[in-house]
Amino acid sequence: MIASLNRRHFLGAAGAGLLAFATGCGGSGSGMAQPEGKVPEQYAKRQRVVIWYPWSGVPGDAFQRLVTAFNGSQTDIYVEAQFQGTYDETAQKLATAMQARQLPDLCVFSEVTWNKFHLNDTLEPLGSHFSGGSLKPADYIDQLIAEGTVKNEVWWVPFARSTPLFYYNKELFAAAGLPDRGPKTWTELREWAPALTSRKVNGQSPKLTAYFKVDGDWQFQGTVWQWGGAYSNGLDVTIDQGGAVDAGEWQRRLIHDDKLAYMAQSPKLDFSNGLIATVCESTGALTGITKDSPFEVGTAFLPEHTAFGCPTGGGGISIMAGATKERKQAAFQFLSFLARPENATRWSVETGYLPSTKAALETPEMKKLFADKPNFKMAVDQLPRTKAQDQVRLLVPNANRAIYGGLQKIYADNQPAAEVFAAVAAELRKGAESVRATVDKHR
């Protein structure tokens, strides 16, 4: 984290400091300076383009390989990819860079962070770029490109999009005499708990599942829908009502009354180590979980309760409005390269993220992957049933932190969900009012 500008300060300042910046550079292409870097001698005469990205490990390595492939595919542009930490850390650093008037030309944003910058007029509208090139918005999967489109203008193109999936330990399920599938409902999974937790893995009895200490509000969004609730209706907060409270209570009881779950720093690591039998994690973690688990991993749609619920999430890429015209044009060429069927396929195959384009779904490599490893097709099959998250999480300053902070009190401190979410709702309502006028103007 950046000590001088933490996430709360950045998001809270969204309506002031960044608007001032936008007035100065906005969509004018005023030629903000690029971050410092070192261009290899063989690329010195090319147009340099800087992209900030948030991935480490498997996806980070896969992204760097795509950047290298782009730089080797033509002779005019050099893309320099600079790792900036997590999605939130990348956004924080970008806000700091704005004050220094030194920006990348492209930035990878999460489904939450891009909205903050769009509301403050610091992203480049991409319509004119699409109209002048071979890449079109219709090339992307409709649902995914729609989430980065506001008032018929594209601001954020899908690249590392994801949904939560239900992961389960196939070997443990078989040893427990359970069917080789995910549970249809959470009630069914609860009924399976005695069979699963009576087994031994490395000498220990596994728990049923674990919940995220940080950022678990994304997974919990789907859970709230499954219980018939919502975080909000538009910007009107509803997390303290009905199904949201019921979902929080179900998880509280599973931890503190049933002793079948707990809060973890890394549930996916605990899953791979056999400490839990199941986990709800991003499809973007599929490659890593499969590689790290010494047992066969199964995947399934998220379980239902009174309804099905699954949010989309993950990353996409925007061009910054403050880049020069030449850098914007070069940046869009890189976006076009990433969207080529072979490259979109390569990214999904190597990471587990959803294919972002329609053509990628039809490549021989993708079809072979789906046939050989059905887990990779599960998120694609689930996608038509998913939807974008409730607006309060996407648009309200610090909303996700407020929600997962509340979940921590339920998970760790056994506080009743109704009490916790009443306090969370009060905070979210203040935040919603602080951005309502801006959101109404932009949307």
Side-chain angles (χ1 to χ4, degrees), residues 410-432:
I410 294 171
Y411 298 160
D413 301 334
N414 198 21
Q415 293 190 21
E419 174 185 306
V420 168
F421 288 156
V424 170
E427 182 176 350
L428 293 179
R429 288 186 178 110
K430 290 179 182 178

Side-chain angles (χ1 to χ4, degrees), residues 22-213:
T23 302
C25 83
S28 63
S30 56
M32 303 295 289
Q34 293 173 308
E36 293 182 0
K38 186 176 182 180
V39 180
E41 185 176 349
Q42 67 266 36
Y43 302 126
K45 295 183 179 181
R46 298 188 183 191
Q47 173 63 65
R48 177 176 179 252
V49 171
V50 177
I51 182 169
W52 281 5
Y53 72 98
W55 306 293
S56 58
V58 170
D61 294 341
F63 185 66
Q64 282 287 358
R65 286 192 290 272
L66 282 171
V67 170
T68 299
F70 174 76
N71 290 335
S73 71
Q74 40 74 50
T75 59
D76 298 321
I77 304 166
Y78 171 69
V79 170
E80 181 177 325
Q82 298 180 350
F83 174 68
Q84 300 298 325
T86 66
Y87 283 119
D88 281 352
E89 288 167 345
T90 299
Q92 291 162 12
K93 291 178 181 179
L94 189 61
T96 300
M98 285 180 175
Q99 303 305 313
R101 303 186 67 79
Q102 190 175 71
L103 290 176
D105 308 297
L106 293 149
C107 190
V108 178
F109 295 106
S110 74
E111 81 283 7
V112 171
T113 57
W114 84 267
N115 283 285
K116 309 303 189 295
F117 289 91
H118 168 253
L119 289 177
N120 290 283
D121 301 319
T122 55
L123 303 183
E124 171 78 356
L126 300 180
S128 62
H129 298 279
F130 280 115
S131 64
S134 59
L135 179 65
K136 304 298 181 185
D139 294 331
Y140 291 97
I141 292 174
D142 294 342
Q143 180 178 351
L144 300 182
I145 192 68
E147 291 183 29
T149 302
V150 180
K151 293 182 176 178
N152 298 316
E153 181 63 85
V154 179
W155 305 88
W156 180 69
V157 298
F159 179 65
R161 298 306 309 276
S162 60
T163 70
L165 282 178
F166 182 86
Y167 292 79
Y168 64 98
N169 183 327
K170 289 171 74 80
E171 294 180 11
L172 185 59
F173 270 49
L178 297 175
D180 183 12
R181 61 170 175 82
K184 292 181 171 57
T185 66
W186 289 107
T187 299
E188 184 176 43
L189 180 62
R190 176 65 184 81
E191 292 169 351
W192 290 352
L196 289 167
T197 58
S198 64
R199 311 303 301 179
K200 296 290 184 182
V201 178
N202 298 324
Q204 297 185 38
S205 297
K207 296 290 188 180
L208 189 63
T209 194
Y211 300 120
F212 289 77
K213 180 178 181 180

Side-chain angles (χ1 to χ4, degrees), residues 304-439:
E304 301 181 16
H305 187 64
T306 60
F308 179 80
C310 182
T312 53
I317 307 177
S318 297
I319 296 176
M320 301 306 299
T324 63
K325 178 180 179 181
E326 293 75 19
R327 300 204 309 261
K328 290 175 184 176
Q329 292 173 342
F332 191 79
Q333 288 191 47
F334 179 58
L335 293 184
S336 298
F337 176 83
L338 295 178
R340 290 180 187 172
E342 67 273 17
N343 296 324
T345 297
R346 178 179 178 181
W347 170 253
S348 293
V349 168
E350 293 184 4
T351 63
Y353 280 110
L354 286 165
S356 59
T357 66
K358 298 168 185 173
L361 290 172
E362 301 303 322
T363 62
E365 295 81 5
M366 191 67 74
K367 289 183 176 180
K368 184 177 188 304
L369 177 70
F370 289 164
D372 294 346
K373 299 179 179 179
N375 283 345
F376 283 81
K377 192 171 183 289
M378 191 63 66
V380 175
D381 291 341
Q382 183 179 243
L383 185 60
R385 301 186 66 187
T386 66
K387 61 181 180 179
Q389 297 159 51
D390 294 331
Q391 282 195 15
V392 70
R393 184 177 185 272
L394 296 177
L395 300 175
V396 170
N398 213 37
N400 62 338
R401 187 168 182 171
I403 297 169
Y404 78 67
L407 290 171
Q408 288 173 356
K409 295 176 181 178
I410 294 171
Y411 298 160
D413 301 334
N414 198 21
Q415 293 190 21
E419 174 185 306
V420 168
F421 288 156
V424 170
E427 182 176 350
L428 293 179
R429 288 186 178 110
K430 290 179 182 178
E433 291 311 309
S434 74
V435 299
R436 191 179 294 273
T438 303
V439 170

